[in-house]
């Protein structure tokens, strides 16, 4: 049955790819222009939400400290955020599939507004923990991915998804800088007020500019074998059903494990930057900006170009191979300058792996299930943030920084051999 569903999905997406220009009730050039406008608005919403999110990340440690929360308690606060994002990703995806992309983006932006509103009145530790609760539905990036998936042909999807790296990079650079400047000059709550107003504006943008029905009507009959509407938003069975489609489980496991050791390292980086590299807070900020620029350039420009010339299967193998080399480089690095060099292939592998696996997985399921699939994909990073402090802390204390590199090398060599020998039943696709 799953093979039949995959076949219907594959054929259906190819059939409707030529009809995407009629998605918004237009045809010809006007439909193409309007589709491009909606995709641009999705990029804008994602950029703004990420900017506000990174802005509060720079403020929350100081707010927590001012309320008397110690380092252990702050760890629990961060874990709470990670668990809520982990649980909410697939649920948000199901919501998008059942109620539409506009409703999902409005829910994400409104949740962001509630998030910042609760932060703005957090005068005690319990209120600060309560402010994390709306994070369960704060998935603007997944919502933007859903818009792009609905409005682009399968052969153009990886390139369009890759450009979201520009949004992420802009969010890191502007959000981190703006949060620091506003909190220093005007007080710790001012960035929170800005985030609240900004998310309310984002909600209005989604209501006005995102169409009620973004997905082509023709998608519905070509995916009639899909059962995405048969269960509720919170149906675990319907979420796990997607793993039964050919190739989905294999690609998802590669997505999770290829970047896990590096993910553990990045979770511990605030401590490593002080203890191992001896960086001050300002220098760590410069390093974060460097990462933001790298991600903007590589994911926004380089990955898209590569999809024009290489199949996704080839790029997947390439990203895993580069990840193995990154592991070796991390095992041997001794200074922050070494790390700056290693960061280039690291960001390339991370960006390529994330973009290509998201593209491959959304093509492997019916178009009516792409939101749920993107939600599952979005849960990978929260999973790393949740288990990272515990596992990463043990690795760092007992074996040192080099242990992350050696683990990265071993895991990705194994995955690379697996990808060379396996015949994962997914379609090859290049951008046209």
């Amino acid at each position: 049955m799953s093979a039949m569903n995959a076949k219907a999905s594959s054929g259906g997406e190819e059939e409707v790819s030529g009809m995407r220009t009629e998605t918004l009730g237009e045809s010809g050039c006007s439909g193409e222009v309007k589709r491009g406008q909606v995709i641009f608005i999705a990029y804008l919403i994602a950029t703004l939400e990420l900017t506000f999110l990174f802005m509060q990340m720079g403020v929350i440690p100081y707010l927590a400290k001012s309320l008397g929360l110690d380092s252990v308690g702050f760890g629990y606060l961060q874990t709470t955020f990670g668990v809520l994002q982990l649980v909410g990703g697939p649920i948000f995806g199901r919501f998008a599939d059942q109620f539409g992309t506009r409703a999902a983006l409005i829910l994400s932006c409104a949740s962001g507004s509630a998030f910042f509103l609760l932060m703005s009145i957090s005068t005690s530790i319990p209120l600060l923990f309560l402010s994390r609760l709306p994070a369960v539905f704060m998935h603007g990036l997944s919502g933007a991915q859903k818009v792009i998936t609905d409005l682009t042909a399968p052969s153009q999807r990886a390139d369009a998804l890759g450009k979201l790296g520009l949004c992420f990079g802009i969010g890191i650079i502007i959000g981190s800088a703006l949060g620091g400047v506003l909190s220093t000059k005007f007080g710790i709550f001012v960035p929170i007020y800005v985030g609240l107003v900004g998310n309310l504006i984002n909600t209005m943008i989604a209501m006005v500019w995102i169409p009620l029905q973004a997905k082509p009507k023709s998608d519905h009959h070509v995916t009639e074998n899909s059962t995405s509407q048969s269960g509720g938003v919170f149906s675990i069975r319907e979420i796990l059903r997607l793993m039964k489609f050919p190739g989905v489980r294999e690609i998802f496991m590669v997505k999770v494990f290829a970047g896990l050791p590096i993910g553990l390292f990045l979770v511990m980086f605030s401590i490593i930057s002080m203890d191992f590299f001896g960086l001050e807070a300002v220098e760590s900020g410069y390093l974060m900006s460097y990462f933001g620029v790298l991600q903007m350039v590589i994911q926004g420009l380089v990955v898209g170009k590569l999809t024009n010339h290489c199949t996704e299967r080839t790029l997947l193998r390439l990203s895993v191979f580069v990840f193995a080399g990154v592991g070796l480089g991390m095992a041997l690095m001794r200074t922050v300058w070494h790390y700056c060099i290693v960061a280039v292939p690291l960001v390339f592998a991370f960006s390529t792996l994330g973009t290509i696996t998201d593209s491959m997985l959304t093509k492997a399921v019916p178009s009516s299930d792409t939101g749920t699939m993107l939600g599952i994909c979005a849960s990978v990073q929260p999973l790393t943030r949740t288990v990272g402090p515990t596992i990463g802390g043990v690795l760092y204390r007992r074996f040192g920084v080099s242990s992350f590199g050696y683990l990265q090398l071993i895991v990705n060599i194994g995955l690379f051999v697996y990808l060379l020998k396996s015949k994962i039943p997914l379609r090859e696709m290049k951008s046209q």
Side-chain angles (χ1 to χ4, degrees):
M1 181 67 179
S2 62
M4 291 176 62
N5 287 345
K7 187 174 181 181
S9 171
S10 173
E13 286 205 41
E14 289 303 313
E15 178 183 334
V16 303
S17 63
M19 306 178 187
R20 303 272 171 180
T21 53
E22 282 92 34
T23 298
L24 304 173
E26 303 284 345
S27 61
C29 294
S30 60
E32 189 72 26
V33 169
K34 190 146 189 178
R35 182 181 63 171
Q37 290 175 345
V38 173
I39 292 175
F40 174 78
I41 293 298
Y43 287 140
L44 176 62
I45 291 173
T47 301
L48 291 174
E49 182 163 310
L50 288 166
T51 298
F52 302 137
L53 188 61
F54 280 107
M55 192 166 61
Q56 70 86 32
M57 283 182 179
V59 172
I60 191 67
Y62 301 99
L63 178 58
K65 186 177 180 180
S66 69
L67 296 176
L69 196 65
D70 59 16
S71 59
V72 176
F74 183 70
Y76 290 144
L77 185 69
Q78 295 295 79
T79 300
T80 300
F81 183 84
V83 170
L84 288 169
Q85 289 259 293
L86 173 64
V87 173
I91 296 174
F92 179 85
R94 286 282 297 166
F95 182 90
D97 283 334
Q98 294 201 344
F99 298 100
T101 307
R102 184 172 75 167
L105 281 173
I106 292 172
L107 174 63
S108 176
C109 297
S111 298
S113 301
F115 177 84
F116 281 98
L117 176 62
L118 289 171
M119 276 188 69
S120 69
I121 60 173
S122 293
T123 55
S124 65
I125 293 175
L127 275 175
L128 187 61
F129 272 87
L130 182 64
S131 71
R132 307 292 97 178
L133 191 58
V136 71
F137 293 123
M138 288 170 55
H139 294 278
L141 190 62
S142 296
Q145 289 177 320
K146 173 67 173 168
V147 172
I148 292 167
T149 300
D150 287 346
L151 296 182
T152 56
S155 59
Q156 301 169 333
R157 188 169 299 167
D159 185 18
L161 290 173
K163 288 182 172 61
L164 281 170
L166 287 169
C167 306
F168 198 87
I170 292 171
I172 291 178
I173 296 170
I174 297 180
S176 302
L178 192 59
V181 171
L182 290 176
S183 61
T184 301
K185 290 191 174 183
F186 304 106
I188 198 171
F189 281 99
V190 171
I192 299 173
Y193 298 144
V194 172
L196 171 59
V197 175
N199 273 277
L200 289 173
I201 293 173
N202 234 6
T203 305
M204 296 301 297
I205 292 174
M207 293 176 66
V208 173
W209 291 101
I210 300 297
L212 183 63
Q213 179 61 41
K215 185 178 296 186
K217 293 180 180 179
S218 52
D219 276 19
H220 299 293
H221 74 79
V222 298
T223 57
E224 60 185 2
N225 288 327
S226 171
T227 59
S228 66
Q229 307 297 321
S230 63
V233 172
F234 298 95
S235 174
I236 302 298
R237 181 179 63 84
E238 287 301 312
I239 292 172
L240 295 178
R241 173 184 59 84
L242 300 187
M243 291 296 166
K244 297 179 181 179
F245 285 90
V248 170
R249 185 184 293 108
E250 293 89 338
I251 294 299
F252 185 73
M253 295 308 290
V254 172
K255 181 181 183 69
V256 171
F257 288 109
L260 181 60
I262 293 293
L264 299 178
F265 171 83
L266 294 176
V267 168
M268 298 296 298
F269 186 73
S270 59
I271 296 175
I272 293 172
S273 64
M274 292 186 294
D275 295 347
F276 186 76
F277 294 129
L279 300 181
E280 300 292 337
V282 175
E283 295 169 327
S284 295
Y286 291 150
L287 197 57
M288 287 297 294
S289 297
Y290 170 66
F291 266 90
V293 172
L294 279 180
Q295 178 140 5
M296 287 174 61
V297 173
I298 292 175
Q299 188 169 343
L301 302 176
V302 176
V303 175
K305 297 295 183 182
L306 286 176
T307 59
N308 294 329
H309 305 287
C310 305
T311 63
E312 291 176 341
R313 191 185 301 268
T314 300
L315 290 176
L316 180 63
R317 290 170 178 168
L318 176 63
S319 64
V320 171
F321 180 76
V322 173
F323 254 146
V326 167
L328 180 60
M330 289 186 61
L332 300 176
M333 73 180 180
R334 295 294 179 266
T335 69
V336 68
W337 297 109
H338 294 161
Y339 183 57
C340 287
I341 296 172
V342 172
V344 177
L346 188 158
V347 173
F348 171 80
F350 242 134
S351 300
T352 306
L353 180 76
T355 301
I356 296 303
T357 51
D358 285 353
S359 177
M360 295 175 83
L361 289 169
T362 54
K363 293 173 187 175
V365 299
S367 62
S368 57
D369 290 312
T370 53
T372 306
M373 191 71 254
L374 288 169
I376 294 173
C377 292
S379 296
V380 173
Q381 286 191 1
L383 174 64
T384 304
R385 290 198 300 267
T386 301
V387 304
T390 302
I391 301 175
V394 171
L395 285 174
Y396 180 56
R397 286 194 302 269
R398 293 193 177 184
F399 306 105
V401 172
S402 62
S403 62
F404 296 100
Y406 287 122
L407 182 61
Q408 180 76 14
L409 176 63
I410 293 169
V411 169
N412 281 274
I413 286 177
L415 289 174
F416 184 68
V417 173
Y418 168 73
L419 289 174
L420 285 178
K421 292 186 175 181
S422 65
K423 301 294 183 182
I424 300 175
L426 291 175
R427 289 177 292 147
E428 298 286 340
M429 191 71 65
K430 288 191 257 186
S431 296
Q432 301 300 319

